Amino acid sequence: MELGLIGLGKMGGNMRERIRRAGHTVIGYDRNPDLADVSSLQELVTKLQGPRVVWVMVPAGAPTQATVEELAELLSPGDIVVDGGNSRWTDDEKHAELLAAKGIGFVDCGVSGGVWGLQNGYALMYGGEAADIARVQPIFDALKPEGEFGAVHAGKAGAGHFAKMVHNGIEYAMMQAYAEGWELLEAVDSVTDVREIFRSWKEGTVIRSWLLDLAVDALDKDEHLGKLKGYAADSGEGRWTVEAAIDHAVPLPAITASLFARFASRQDDSPQMKMIAALRNEFGGHAVESK
Amino acid sequence: MELGLIGLGKMGGNMRERIRRAGHTVIGYDRNPDLADVSSLQELVTKLQGPRVVWVMVPAGAPTQATVEELAELLSPGDIVVDGGNSRWTDDEKHAELLAAKGIGFVDCGVSGGVWGLQNGYALMYGGEAADIARVQPIFDALKPEGEFGAVHAGKAGAGHFAKMVHNGIEYAMMQAYAEGWELLEAVDSVTDVREIFRSWKEGTVIRSWLLDLAVDALDKDEHLGKLKGYAADSGEGRWTVEAAIDHAVPLPAITASLFARFASRQDDSPQMKMIAALRNEFGGHAVESK
Amino acid sequence: MELGLIGLGKMGGNMRERIRRAGHTVIGYDRNPDLADVSSLQELVTKLQGPRVVWVMVPAGAPTQATVEELAELLSPGDIVVDGGNSRWTDDEKHAELLAAKGIGFVDCGVSGGVWGLQNGYALMYGGEAADIARVQPIFDALKPEGEFGAVHAGKAGAGHFAKMVHNGIEYAMMQAYAEGWELLEAVDSVTDVREIFRSWKEGTVIRSWLLDLAVDALDKDEHLGKLKGYAADSGEGRWTVEAAIDHAVPLPAITASLFARFASRQDDSPQMKMIAALRNEFGGHAVESK
Amino acid sequence: MELGLIGLGKMGGNMRERIRRAGHTVIGYDRNPDLADVSSLQELVTKLQGPRVVWVMVPAGAPTQATVEELAELLSPGDIVVDGGNSRWTDDEKHAELLAAKGIGFVDCGVSGGVWGLQNGYALMYGGEAADIARVQPIFDALKPEGEFGAVHAGKAGAGHFAKMVHNGIEYAMMQAYAEGWELLEAVDSVTDVREIFRSWKEGTVIRSWLLDLAVDALDKDEHLGKLKGYAADSGEGRWTVEAAIDHAVPLPAITASLFARFASRQDDSPQMKMIAALRNEFGGHAVESK
């Protein structure tokens, strides 16, 4: 089939390649003319035969918002927009409504896979009307990993991004689990080979996983991670997961602890711990570390 | 080689079977005569040719303590005792010293694998002197999974149980990660098929793992887990992990949150939440739920 | 001075009384004619001499929004609106802009004190332009507790509600602190008189506080809180505090733990613990509690 | 009455002074002859008329253990030993048994008050037999604050130290509550005067407390705490509180979060966050901060 693809960065470019390898026609647009097949959204729309499917793969927030609004003007009734970016699920309902008013369908799709996706396939979680999803299915089939897993119709519009967001929240806590265990093993004198312990866990254990395999890969490059700073960024989806949990009164202690550990890792000197030190000094004459 | 094996319950019995399949001779003792090959520890020791290797697979704490003390009397210099039970790592040093005073070697071994071990092999983490471990190696090789992973010499005496304990601590937080994500997905109306989302994650995602596979198996039996109570036991090793972290001033927020969630799940009516309700009532005239 | 006061419920009614006792004129409006001094917002505005100060004390969200919008139409340049309700701080900036476009000033004011306020005074945290606040100052002086504390100009528009929100977040964690300690003391056999321990802490300790006094009052009514359910509501400001922390990448582990403990207290049967039980069953053949 | 007091450091010296001011006779011993009234424990015991009361105020652990053992040899049946140090409650039962075998009574007493105690009195929590406590009561009355609060018979031997330990656990979480709130207020641009917000909370709020007063004192010395490092020690009792909770399966999320925040504050570079960074790098090609 024919697909319009907007956004040809690292992620979008690889996806174009994987879709083409599956035999589909992709017309790609990017603000960077070196990457693009057409020079404008207008041209992209013109070149696609209707009814069209246009996949948006641009940064979440304002860029996606602007692109959807522009497509609402350019596309025709019966066309479909797929938002494959990292949009917050709360944006999806608004986009679905905006497009529905013009007779245009909307599907949101959370995409996981990163740098490994081109070769191994991308995990896909999509939301929207069944009829719209059926129209996009050949593209989903091209992008997903081989085998029976890796793609799911998660629910209504927004459910795809919601599922991807929860995936990332789970990922935060799993990473934190391995990280806490690794630090504890490294802290104990009688344990002499933490890297080999991690390696041994790759088979026969309850905690074997792809993330564990990656941890071993990392330790093979730098046994005690001495070349890295204990500094971890966060990409938005962990935050949104906690906010969604608060909206629904769901307790998420492990995922939230993982998010807060990242926040704390980025502080040179913790303000709250200054206050603890100050209070200890006031009530107890405890010695505190001054600068 | 020849092995004495003490404790032939579900776990020990399967291990005897796996070791025998590998061609070794196992003489087993259990308090239950229906399971045992010999009728006493004394007989077990007599039947084994020296230098002996005796593997203890009885409940942690007092039973293991008593068995090690009895073996200290029965065995000869040059023999080796392996504690393969779920002992706390702090017991290992004491046992190693007790036996060393008699010239007997000591190896501790954390064993993971549960009901899957007989067929797939057991993950093994062992601690002790290299020479002692070399003597037990054929048994380790028989028990471990096929392939290059699943067994490790973790360090000095106690390091094997310590590594297994940390494994279980990580397991607690990984299970909690999936559980939190599952509850959040189930809480949201627009997400209509949580089980299929979990199934789709088996390939192409960052969070694919054996535990995820088990979660899908569980959901296939009972899609919304309606047949289960939200009640989770804990087996000691999660607690010890947190205590070890406290000893070493290592922050373990996610693992500890997972342990506390289990504690709370076992309370019919939370005392601390009664106090919160009481305080709200005092200061605000807030309506509280009375019995 | 003269004040218009909109919203004469439990809180607003008591505030009217305290302001009148201080010698000011209050014209009150409420949808309930039994409580109101005038029959409409229009009449309220007409009866007040300009430049007017109108204090809004209605539920946060839509009711406050509607009232502010109506006042924007009815009031004149130079008048001032004070939002004394429990509005989310993010609403304040919008209200300030809406009113500023008409030349009307805006002050937000977080009010603490509950049922104790009429007698002891209300703690006030307000935000806005210094000139506007100076105009409202006589009313703040009437409402605040006697003495030098209890009222503060916290910053720009929104800062008053933000400060009150953080006050409540701190309150959550302080309540949780006492509640955790109380549960632990009640759990230990050798401790025979937990209520008297709490009472003794009222003097000479680091943890003496008004909340502790309230805890003792509650225990005097019901020594083991046996008449209460372990069920705690939450009122929005705890959630907003965590969301604000996430927005600013500030780790709030204790406050968030306190919020999640309340969420969990309201679940009859924890979904996430069902998943933990299911996973334990899958990998270990652990006995789990079935319904 | 007459008291023997062992340990005349900052704390013990002030206590001797407060007891003497109340009209009692104190014979003090310390390893430092400049502080001591007698030159040996033997001399202390000889100078006291029987039946004797001897208060031990030396560091917890080995020093207290050694002193109790020495007293068991020196004292006579009918004498009483009071351990007023910061002993772990689990030591008390052992000491009670050791002394009971000689007919000597044992009382444990948790003491709070620090540098403020000499003037304001010390909060006391004691455990032991009622008859023994009655014998020590005049000393408790001399040490405690004026008024009806500040001293409690908490239960059996060990209950006094247990209650004091829980007091300190609560203290950890209350300090963390204020610290988190303070950091959040400092992080927000529209809030311009955090110190004055804290000051205003001293009256009329739910969160007023002695710790809040101390926080204001600290901010008056250093408004943004810029002279302090965000580094907080912990003194053992927070750790013991969490361990006691684990022993009794009581969830303590806020207190434990407070303890872990202190642990993390003392790490220059967090090992677990290195692992998070390493994993992010492996799976996503995320840019991570290298040294």
Side-chain angles (χ1 to χ4, degrees):
Chain A
M1 67 176 275
E2 213 179 50
L3 180 75
L5 178 56
I6 302 168
L8 300 166
K10 199 180 201 175
M11 192 83 173
N14 279 345
M15 290 168 68
R16 176 171 62 175
E17 176 64 20
R18 189 168 171 97
I19 298 167
R20 283 180 174 165
R21 286 184 191 169
H24 301 293
T25 301
V26 181
I27 302 176
Y29 170 72
D30 195 279
R31 289 183 309 176
N32 179 346
D34 295 344
L35 303 171
D37 305 315
V38 291
S39 60
S40 69
L41 278 190
Q42 175 64 66
E43 187 186 346
L44 177 92
V45 170
T46 305
K47 286 212 169 168
L48 289 167
Q49 288 187 312
R52 304 173 190 87
V53 176
V54 179
W55 186 296
V56 179
M57 204 68 200
V58 303
T64 293
Q65 174 80 15
T67 305
V68 169
E69 285 171 3
E70 201 171 348
L71 288 171
E73 299 304 316
L74 294 171
L75 293 174
S76 307
D79 291 348
I80 293 176
V81 171
V82 182
D83 178 7
N86 287 320
S87 294
R88 188 168 173 150
W89 89 101
T90 45
D91 289 342
D92 293 317
E93 200 176 341
K94 287 181 280 183
H95 294 160
E97 280 180 22
L98 174 75
L99 293 164
K102 307 270 187 170
I104 304 166
F106 177 78
V107 170
D108 66 290
C109 183
V111 179
S112 179
V115 294
W116 307 76
L118 172 57
Q119 183 176 340
N120 299 344
Y122 299 90
L124 307 175
M125 294 141 259
Y126 30 85
E129 298 298 323
D132 291 339
I133 282 168
R135 294 261 307 284
V136 192
Q137 195 66 50
I139 304 301
F140 292 149
D141 291 343
L143 286 170
K144 72 180 281 293
E146 288 186 24
E148 55 181 314
F149 309 114
V152 67
H153 181 186
K156 300 173 191 166
H161 281 132
F162 195 92
K164 171 61 165 41
M165 175 195 79
V166 174
H167 167 278
N168 284 31
I170 293 171
E171 176 190 309
Y172 273 55
M174 286 178 65
M175 291 166 74
Q176 181 70 18
Y178 290 116
E180 291 181 4
W182 183 75
E183 177 170 338
L184 181 54
L185 287 168
E186 286 277 341
V188 175
D189 285 341
S190 65
V191 174
T192 52
D193 205 336
V194 178
R195 181 175 61 182
E196 293 315 305
I197 293 170
F198 263 61
R199 192 190 312 283
S200 79
W201 288 344
K202 286 165 72 86
E203 293 293 342
T205 66
V206 176
I207 63 172
R208 60 190 190 262
S209 75
W210 188 60
L211 272 168
L212 176 70
D213 295 343
L214 295 186
V216 175
D217 292 348
L219 295 173
D220 277 339
K221 292 170 191 157
D222 182 8
E223 184 173 353
H224 301 288
L225 304 180
K227 294 175 193 158
L228 290 173
K229 273 189 64 176
Y231 178 104
D234 74 283
S235 58
E237 281 153 325
R239 300 181 184 206
W240 298 342
T241 304
V242 178
E243 289 171 355
I246 289 174
D247 285 346
H248 292 85
V250 170
L252 290 200
I255 291 173
T256 307
S258 310
L259 180 65
F260 286 165
R262 293 192 183 192
F263 288 173
S265 80
R266 304 201 297 264
Q267 297 181 318
D268 270 338
D269 200 9
S270 162
Q272 60 190 239
M273 288 300 118
K274 289 170 184 269
M275 176 54 85
I276 299 290
L279 286 170
R280 279 171 57 82
N281 198 29
E282 289 295 324
F283 72 69
H286 286 284
V288 294
E289 287 220 0
S290 295
K291 281 186 174 168
Chain B
M1 65 175 276
E2 214 180 49
L3 180 76
L5 178 57
I6 302 167
L8 300 166
K10 197 181 203 174
M11 192 83 174
N14 278 346
M15 289 168 69
R16 175 172 62 177
E17 177 64 20
R18 188 169 172 97
I19 298 167
R20 283 180 175 163
R21 287 183 191 171
H24 300 293
T25 301
V26 181
I27 303 175
Y29 170 72
D30 195 279
R31 289 183 311 176
N32 179 346
D34 296 345
L35 303 172
D37 305 316
V38 291
S39 59
S40 69
L41 278 191
Q42 174 66 67
E43 188 185 347
L44 177 92
V45 170
T46 305
K47 286 214 169 166
L48 288 167
Q49 289 187 310
R52 305 172 189 87
V53 176
V54 179
W55 186 296
V56 180
M57 204 68 201
V58 304
T64 293
Q65 174 82 13
T67 305
V68 169
E69 286 171 3
E70 203 172 346
L71 288 172
E73 298 305 317
L74 294 170
L75 293 175
S76 306
D79 292 347
I80 294 176
V81 172
V82 182
D83 178 7
N86 287 319
S87 294
R88 187 167 173 150
W89 88 101
T90 45
D91 289 341
D92 292 318
E93 199 176 344
K94 287 181 281 183
H95 294 160
E97 281 181 21
L98 174 75
L99 294 163
K102 307 270 186 171
I104 304 166
F106 177 78
V107 171
D108 66 291
C109 183
V111 179
S112 179
V115 296
W116 307 76
L118 174 56
Q119 184 176 338
N120 299 345
Y122 299 89
L124 307 174
M125 294 142 259
Y126 30 85
E129 298 297 323
D132 292 338
I133 282 168
R135 293 261 307 284
V136 192
Q137 195 67 49
I139 304 302
F140 291 149
D141 290 343
L143 286 170
K144 72 180 282 292
E146 287 185 26
E148 57 181 313
F149 308 115
V152 67
H153 182 188
K156 299 174 190 166
H161 282 132
F162 196 92
K164 171 61 165 42
M165 176 195 78
V166 173
H167 167 278
N168 284 31
I170 293 171
E171 177 191 308
Y172 273 55
M174 286 178 65
M175 291 167 73
Q176 181 71 20
Y178 290 117
E180 292 181 4
W182 183 76
E183 177 171 338
L184 182 54
L185 287 169
E186 286 277 340
V188 175
D189 287 342
S190 65
V191 174
T192 53
D193 205 336
V194 177
R195 181 174 61 183
E196 294 313 307
I197 292 171
F198 263 61
R199 193 190 313 283
S200 79
W201 287 343
K202 286 165 72 87
E203 292 293 344
T205 66
V206 175
I207 64 172
R208 61 190 189 261
S209 74
W210 189 61
L211 272 169
L212 176 70
D213 295 343
L214 295 185
V216 174
D217 292 348
L219 296 173
D220 277 339
K221 293 170 190 158
D222 182 8
E223 184 174 353
H224 301 289
L225 304 180
K227 295 175 191 156
L228 291 173
K229 274 189 63 175
Y231 178 104
D234 74 282
S235 57
E237 280 153 326
R239 299 181 185 207
W240 299 342
T241 304
V242 178
E243 289 170 355
I246 289 174
D247 285 346
H248 291 85
V250 170
L252 290 199
I255 291 173
T256 307
S258 309
L259 180 65
F260 286 164
R262 293 191 182 193
F263 288 174
S265 80
R266 304 202 297 263
Q267 298 181 318
D268 271 338
D269 201 10
S270 163
Q272 62 191 239
M273 288 299 119
K274 289 170 184 270
M275 177 53 87
I276 300 289
L279 286 170
R280 280 172 55 82
N281 199 28
E282 289 295 323
F283 72 69
H286 286 284
V288 295
E289 287 219 0
S290 294
K291 281 188 173 166
Chain C
M1 65 176 276
E2 215 178 46
L3 180 76
L5 178 57
I6 301 168
L8 300 167
K10 198 181 200 174
M11 192 82 174
N14 279 346
M15 289 167 69
R16 176 173 60 177
E17 176 64 20
R18 188 169 172 96
I19 298 167
R20 283 180 175 164
R21 286 184 190 171
H24 300 292
T25 300
V26 181
I27 302 175
Y29 171 72
D30 195 278
R31 289 182 311 175
N32 179 345
D34 296 345
L35 303 172
D37 304 316
V38 291
S39 59
S40 69
L41 279 190
Q42 175 65 66
E43 188 186 345
L44 178 92
V45 170
T46 304
K47 286 212 170 169
L48 289 167
Q49 288 187 310
R52 304 173 189 88
V53 176
V54 179
W55 186 296
V56 180
M57 204 68 202
V58 303
T64 294
Q65 174 81 16
T67 304
V68 169
E69 286 172 2
E70 201 171 346
L71 288 172
E73 298 305 318
L74 293 171
L75 293 175
S76 307
D79 292 347
I80 294 176
V81 172
V82 182
D83 178 6
N86 287 318
S87 294
R88 187 167 173 151
W89 90 100
T90 45
D91 289 342
D92 292 318
E93 200 176 343
K94 288 181 280 184
H95 294 160
E97 280 181 22
L98 174 75
L99 292 164
K102 306 270 187 170
I104 303 167
F106 177 79
V107 171
D108 65 291
C109 182
V111 179
S112 180
V115 296
W116 307 76
L118 173 56
Q119 184 177 338
N120 299 344
Y122 299 90
L124 307 175
M125 294 141 259
Y126 29 85
E129 298 298 322
D132 292 339
I133 282 169
R135 293 261 308 282
V136 192
Q137 195 67 50
I139 304 301
F140 291 150
D141 290 344
L143 287 170
K144 73 180 282 292
E146 288 184 23
E148 56 181 314
F149 308 115
V152 67
H153 182 187
K156 299 173 192 167
H161 281 132
F162 196 92
K164 171 62 165 42
M165 177 195 78
V166 174
H167 166 279
N168 284 31
I170 293 171
E171 177 190 309
Y172 274 56
M174 286 178 66
M175 291 166 74
Q176 181 70 19
Y178 290 117
E180 292 181 4
W182 183 76
E183 177 171 338
L184 182 54
L185 287 169
E186 286 277 339
V188 175
D189 286 341
S190 65
V191 174
T192 53
D193 206 338
V194 178
R195 181 175 59 182
E196 294 314 307
I197 293 170
F198 263 61
R199 192 189 314 283
S200 79
W201 287 345
K202 287 165 72 87
E203 293 292 343
T205 66
V206 176
I207 64 172
R208 60 190 189 262
S209 73
W210 188 62
L211 272 169
L212 176 70
D213 295 344
L214 295 185
V216 174
D217 292 347
L219 295 174
D220 277 340
K221 292 170 190 157
D222 183 8
E223 184 174 352
H224 301 289
L225 304 181
K227 295 175 191 155
L228 291 173
K229 276 189 62 176
Y231 178 105
D234 73 282
S235 57
E237 281 153 326
R239 299 181 184 207
W240 299 342
T241 304
V242 178
E243 289 170 355
I246 290 174
D247 285 346
H248 291 85
V250 170
L252 291 199
I255 291 173
T256 306
S258 310
L259 180 65
F260 286 165
R262 293 191 182 193
F263 288 174
S265 80
R266 304 201 298 261
Q267 298 181 317
D268 271 338
D269 201 10
S270 162
Q272 62 191 238
M273 288 299 118
K274 289 170 184 270
M275 177 52 87
I276 299 289
L279 286 170
R280 279 171 56 82
N281 199 28
E282 288 295 323
F283 73 69
H286 286 283
V288 294
E289 287 220 0
S290 294
K291 283 187 172 167
Chain D
M1 67 176 275
E2 214 179 48
L3 180 76
L5 178 57
I6 302 168
L8 300 166
K10 197 181 202 175
M11 192 83 173
N14 280 344
M15 289 167 69
R16 175 172 62 176
E17 175 65 19
R18 188 169 172 96
I19 298 168
R20 284 180 173 164
R21 286 184 190 170
H24 301 293
T25 301
V26 181
I27 303 176
Y29 170 72
D30 195 278
R31 289 183 310 177
N32 179 347
D34 295 344
L35 303 171
D37 305 316
V38 292
S39 60
S40 69
L41 278 190
Q42 176 65 66
E43 188 186 346
L44 178 92
V45 169
T46 305
K47 287 213 169 166
L48 287 168
Q49 288 187 311
R52 305 172 188 87
V53 176
V54 179
W55 185 296
V56 180
M57 205 68 202
V58 303
T64 293
Q65 175 81 14
T67 304
V68 169
E69 286 171 2
E70 202 172 347
L71 288 172
E73 299 305 317
L74 293 171
L75 292 175
S76 306
D79 292 348
I80 294 175
V81 171
V82 183
D83 178 6
N86 287 318
S87 294
R88 188 167 172 150
W89 88 101
T90 46
D91 289 342
D92 293 317
E93 200 176 343
K94 287 180 281 184
H95 294 159
E97 280 181 21
L98 174 75
L99 293 164
K102 306 270 187 171
I104 305 166
F106 177 78
V107 170
D108 65 291
C109 183
V111 179
S112 180
V115 295
W116 307 76
L118 173 56
Q119 182 176 340
N120 299 344
Y122 299 89
L124 307 174
M125 293 141 258
Y126 32 84
E129 298 298 323
D132 292 339
I133 282 169
R135 294 262 306 283
V136 192
Q137 195 66 50
I139 304 301
F140 291 150
D141 290 344
L143 286 170
K144 73 181 281 293
E146 288 185 25
E148 57 181 313
F149 309 114
V152 67
H153 182 187
K156 299 173 191 166
H161 282 131
F162 195 92
K164 171 62 164 41
M165 176 195 79
V166 173
H167 166 280
N168 284 31
I170 293 171
E171 176 190 309
Y172 273 55
M174 286 178 64
M175 290 166 73
Q176 181 70 20
Y178 291 117
E180 292 181 4
W182 182 75
E183 177 171 338
L184 182 54
L185 286 169
E186 287 276 341
V188 175
D189 286 341
S190 65
V191 174
T192 52
D193 205 337
V194 178
R195 181 175 61 182
E196 294 314 306
I197 293 171
F198 263 60
R199 193 190 313 281
S200 79
W201 287 344
K202 287 164 73 88
E203 293 293 344
T205 66
V206 176
I207 64 173
R208 61 190 188 262
S209 74
W210 188 62
L211 272 168
L212 177 69
D213 295 343
L214 295 185
V216 175
D217 292 348
L219 296 173
D220 277 340
K221 293 170 191 156
D222 182 8
E223 183 173 354
H224 301 288
L225 305 179
K227 294 175 191 156
L228 291 173
K229 274 189 63 175
Y231 178 104
D234 74 283
S235 57
E237 281 154 325
R239 300 182 184 206
W240 298 342
T241 304
V242 178
E243 289 171 356
I246 289 174
D247 285 347
H248 291 86
V250 169
L252 290 199
I255 291 173
T256 307
S258 309
L259 180 65
F260 286 165
R262 293 190 182 192
F263 288 173
S265 81
R266 304 201 297 263
Q267 298 182 317
D268 270 339
D269 200 10
S270 162
Q272 60 190 240
M273 287 300 118
K274 289 170 183 271
M275 177 53 86
I276 299 290
L279 286 170
R280 281 171 54 83
N281 198 29
E282 288 295 323
F283 72 69
H286 286 282
V288 294
E289 286 220 0
S290 295
K291 282 186 172 167

